[in-house]
Amino acid sequence: SGHVAKVTEGYPASCTADGITDSSVCYFCGIVLQEAEVLPATGHIEVIDPAVEPTGCYAQGHTEGSHCGVCGTILKPFTTIPALGHTNVVDAGVNTTCTTSGWTAGTHCAVCGEITQPRIFIPVPGHAERIDPYLAPSCTEVGHTEGSHCVVCGEVFTAQEDIPATGHSPVVDEAIAPSCSAIGYTEGSHCAVCGQTLKMQMVVDKTPHSYEVHSGKLPGIFSDGYTASITCRDCGYTVLKSIRLPAVASWFGF
């Protein structure tokens, strides 16, 4: 009646493992009808993965590598090359003035244009007004009206106007006649406001004494006498003082 084949399926070889062909034996008698044959491993089929340079600011690159085109096994791993990152360029700030707005400094990428540090808008600050106070004029110095200006930019809002000096207000310092006991002064003047001397008074020397001789008196028997004296008739200054002379009777004890 002939053999009835019992087939054992083989399996193909892989890149790293051997395979085997189909084989069969008789189902009834066990005789080998077809022997299995070994299929040698095929080995990897290398496919080159080319190097990729990093591009732009965010995209990474990698070195050259390879893999098997059949099983996908990595044969030569590649190394990651980091992204280049941004190339920052400074965006200069703009200073404010009292009447114009400004910006802070910032940065952007020269490659991709992305703003990496935004600039911040600074509003117009406006003037900083300061009052320039009123200054009263003096006898010799000019004065000023009240004004105002900006302490930041110097702009004048209200200009100060000069007020002329008032000039002195003379007061006469009357002359003082000298005497024999006191010096005198010539006429002078000074300012009633600031006290400055306008015309200096000069010293006038004392006048001489006007001496007057007062006669003495001889003592009487019972009455005292006195010696002569000399005094100034104007001030009373005594040059020679009168001395008391006792009565004659007192000489004898009476």
Side-chain angles (χ1 to χ4, degrees):
S1 63
H3 295 292
V4 177
K6 180 181 178 184
V7 178
T8 301
E9 292 183 355
Y11 49 87
S14 69
C15 298
T16 56
D18 294 337
I20 194 169
T21 61
D22 292 345
S23 62
S24 61
V25 298
C26 178
Y27 185 80
F28 294 106
C29 68
I31 189 171
V32 176
L33 301 177
Q34 180 181 353
E35 289 196 12
E37 295 179 5
V38 175
L39 301 172
T42 60
H44 292 298
I45 298 175
E46 187 177 20
V47 175
I48 299 299
D49 301 314
V52 176
E53 293 295 329
T55 58
C57 302
Y58 293 106
Q60 295 178 334
H62 57 75
T63 59
E64 184 183 277
S66 64
H67 68 279
C68 176
V70 177
C71 68
T73 298
I74 300 297
L75 304 179
K76 180 184 177 182
F78 58 75
T79 301
T80 299
I81 302 174
L84 297 175
H86 292 300
T87 302
N88 283 326
V89 175
V90 174
D91 302 313
V94 177
N95 292 328
T96 60
T97 68
C98 296
T99 56
T100 61
S101 58
W103 295 86
T104 60
T107 56
H108 72 275
C109 178
V111 178
C112 68
E114 181 177 333
I115 295 175
T116 51
Q117 180 180 340
R119 297 200 302 169
I120 299 173
F121 176 73
I122 305 173
V124 177
H127 291 295
E129 184 178 9
R130 174 177 291 173
I131 299 298
D132 303 311
Y134 166 80
L135 175 65
S138 68
C139 300
T140 57
E141 299 292 332
V142 173
H144 303 286
T145 59
E146 183 180 281
S148 62
H149 71 281
C150 176
V151 296
V152 178
C153 69
E155 182 177 336
V156 175
F157 306 130
T158 303
Q160 288 184 291
E161 296 180 1
D162 288 344
I163 304 173
T166 58
H168 293 299
S169 298
V171 173
V172 174
D173 302 313
E174 294 182 357
I176 299 175
S179 67
C180 54
S181 60
I183 60 173
Y185 294 95
T186 60
E187 183 182 277
S189 63
H190 68 278
C191 177
V193 178
C194 67
Q196 182 176 330
T197 298
L198 305 179
K199 180 181 178 182
M200 183 173 291
Q201 289 183 287
M202 306 300 292
V203 174
V204 180
D205 292 335
K206 295 178 183 179
T207 58
H209 289 294
S210 297
Y211 293 116
E212 183 178 26
V213 176
H214 303 281
S215 300
K217 177 184 176 183
L218 293 175
I221 296 176
F222 296 105
S223 62
D224 292 339
Y226 49 84
T227 63
S229 64
I230 302 174
T231 61
C232 176
R233 70 167 61 91
D234 296 321
C235 67
Y237 173 69
T238 300
V239 177
L240 179 64
K241 187 176 181 180
S242 177
I243 299 173
R244 173 178 169 273
L245 298 175
V248 173
S250 66
W251 299 353
F252 301 99
F254 293 100

